[in-house]
């Protein structure tokens, strides 16, 4: 139990500190947005570049891991969509629910957890998760959200291209792709450049957790609480369950996954939803439900992640 708390306690203590700093008025919610922008646009891109550029590309492209992570995400999308359809939810709520259940917070919470659990693999795990999420899962969810707004009356092909282009322009994706280019070309990174990148990336873990906590202050908590609980359950229970089944599936196909990567995959799926979830839900008029779901998932993930760590490690 002490070993599990040595991983989960620092993570959620930092989130609590971020919440307390904003509640006490020492930082404002707007300050958290600024700090979050630094993490998203500077620290995490530097981290991804460093993690990928220093390794042979064969170490980064872990095919079985990516296949299993993608399969888990797609299964979660499909089952969540079917569940909320059966429950009579409208198109906008279905789209928001699907995103909440399938899009994990790999950068702001997942990376700090992996850093404490698998310090030598944390950067690679983040890169693999980001590749799958940004190329497949997040665009799919954005397309569903667009269609729920009546996007079906617009040229769908053009809309998909715009969504994918928007994903490719993200600094995290640019940092990841640049790292892959350096790795493929075997370009040596000079020592001073490496130290600069490491310095910029060093703030990613701690600062991201403070931002998560501070961002929970002032969320619009008026919405369908039962639907929010279902979304949170989808994220914390369904998604990791699908990841566990996907691990069994790739193993049955004869594809090798190390013990560490199996655990990392399931833990990655068990992270709460990403931090901009409520912002994206606002475009659908579902920000209240999404905010409650995010708050529930973030708080309850302390328990679910602790249980998973106890079972899997």
């Amino acid at each position: 139990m002490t070993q599990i708390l040595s991983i989960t306690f620092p993570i959620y203590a930092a989130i609590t500190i971020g919440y307390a700093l904003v509640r006490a008025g020492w930082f404002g919610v707007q300050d958290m947005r600024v700090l979050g922008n630094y993490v998203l646009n500077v620290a995490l891109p530097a981290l991804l570049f460093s993690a990928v550029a220093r390794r042979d590309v064969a170490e980064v492209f872990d095919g079985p891991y990516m296949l299993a992570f993608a399969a888990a995400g797609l299964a979660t999308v499909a089952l969540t969509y079917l569940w909320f359809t059966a429950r009579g939810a409208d198109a906008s709520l279905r789209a928001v629910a699907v995103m909440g259940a399938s899009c994990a917070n790999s950068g702001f919470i997942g990376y700090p957890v992996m850093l404490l659990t698998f310090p030598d693999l944390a950067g690679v795990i983040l890169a693999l998760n980001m590749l799958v999420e940004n190329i497949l899962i997040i665009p799919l969810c954005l397309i569903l959200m667009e269609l729920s707004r009546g996007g079906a009356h617009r040229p769908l092909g053009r809309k998909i291209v715009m969504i994918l282009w928007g994903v490719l322009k993200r600094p995290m994706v640019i940092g990841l792709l640049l790292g892959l280019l350096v790795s493929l070309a075997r370009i040596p990174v000079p020592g001073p450049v490496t130290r600069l990148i490491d310095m910029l990336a060093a703030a990613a873990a701690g600062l991201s957790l403070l931002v998560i906590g501070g961002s929970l202050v002032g969320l619009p908590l008026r919405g369908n609480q039962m639907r929010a609980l279902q979304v949170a359950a989808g994220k914390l229970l369904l998604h990791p369950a699908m990841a566990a089944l996907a691990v069994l599936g790739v193993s049955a196909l004869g594809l090798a996954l190390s013990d560490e990567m199996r655990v990392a995959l399931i833990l990655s799926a068990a992270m709460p939803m990403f931090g901009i979830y409520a912002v994206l839900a606002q475009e659908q008029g579902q920000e209240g439900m999404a905010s409650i779901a995010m708050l529930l998932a973030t708080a309850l993930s302390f328990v679910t992640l602790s249980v998973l760590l106890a079972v899997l490690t």
Side-chain angles (χ1 to χ4, degrees):
M1 186 62 182
T2 302
Q3 183 180 1
I4 303 304
L5 287 177
S6 69
I7 296 172
T8 55
F9 174 77
I11 300 297
Y12 288 89
I15 291 174
T16 303
I17 290 170
Y19 183 87
L21 287 172
V22 175
R23 288 291 296 177
W26 294 350
F27 285 85
V29 174
Q30 186 59 41
D31 297 327
M32 291 295 112
R33 293 194 184 100
V34 173
L35 295 175
N37 284 336
Y38 173 80
V39 174
L40 281 173
N41 299 327
V42 179
L44 285 177
L47 174 66
L48 287 166
F49 176 85
S50 178
V52 174
R54 295 179 183 181
R55 289 175 166 84
D56 187 274
V57 71
E59 297 181 57
V60 179
F61 275 105
D62 188 326
Y65 182 98
M66 295 174 69
L67 175 61
F69 195 61
L74 292 175
T76 303
V77 167
L79 290 175
T80 304
Y81 189 90
L82 290 172
W83 171 262
F84 279 89
T85 299
R87 303 292 292 178
D90 60 26
S92 65
L93 178 57
R94 284 199 303 267
V96 171
V98 164
M99 175 171 279
S102 61
C103 293
N105 199 330
S106 297
F108 280 65
I109 299 181
Y111 174 70
V113 170
M114 296 304 163
L115 192 62
L116 293 176
T117 311
F118 305 113
D120 295 333
L121 295 172
V124 172
I125 293 166
L126 176 63
L128 291 169
N129 291 347
M130 288 292 180
L131 275 171
V132 174
E133 289 168 349
N134 284 282
I135 292 174
L136 180 62
I137 305 301
I138 294 176
L140 176 59
C141 291
L142 291 174
I143 289 168
L144 288 175
M145 292 177 77
E146 175 61 27
L147 291 174
S148 73
R149 289 199 297 263
H153 300 297
R154 309 173 194 176
L156 182 58
R158 179 182 299 178
K159 197 63 188 179
I160 292 174
V161 170
M162 289 176 61
I163 289 171
L164 293 176
W165 177 241
V167 168
L168 289 174
K169 291 192 298 182
R170 293 179 181 178
M172 283 192 298
V173 176
I174 293 173
L176 178 55
L177 294 178
L178 285 176
L180 287 172
L181 178 62
V182 169
S183 178
L184 279 169
R186 301 182 183 276
I187 301 171
V189 182
V193 175
T194 297
R195 286 189 288 275
L196 170 63
I197 293 171
D198 288 346
M199 182 176 64
L200 295 173
L207 193 56
S208 65
L209 294 170
L210 293 178
V211 169
I212 286 293
S215 299
L216 295 176
V217 179
L219 287 176
L221 299 180
R222 293 184 178 180
N224 191 313
Q225 295 179 2
M226 185 54 64
R227 293 281 171 82
L229 181 60
Q230 292 168 15
V231 173
K235 185 72 215 63
L236 300 182
L237 301 177
L238 176 63
H239 196 183
M242 292 302 100
L245 288 176
V247 167
L248 294 175
V250 297
S251 298
L253 293 174
L255 301 175
L257 266 177
S258 69
D259 291 339
E260 291 86 356
M261 296 304 280
R262 290 192 192 101
V263 174
L265 195 151
I266 297 170
L267 288 176
S268 295
M271 300 300 157
M273 59 279 289
F274 56 4
I276 60 171
Y277 175 54
V279 176
L280 294 174
Q282 187 173 6
E283 299 174 5
Q284 310 293 317
Q286 300 288 345
E287 64 272 20
M289 186 279 293
S291 297
I292 297 170
M294 189 168 72
L295 182 60
L296 286 171
T298 304
L300 294 175
S301 63
F302 175 77
V303 176
T304 55
L305 283 174
S306 296
V307 171
L308 281 175
L309 283 165
V311 171
L312 298 173
T313 60

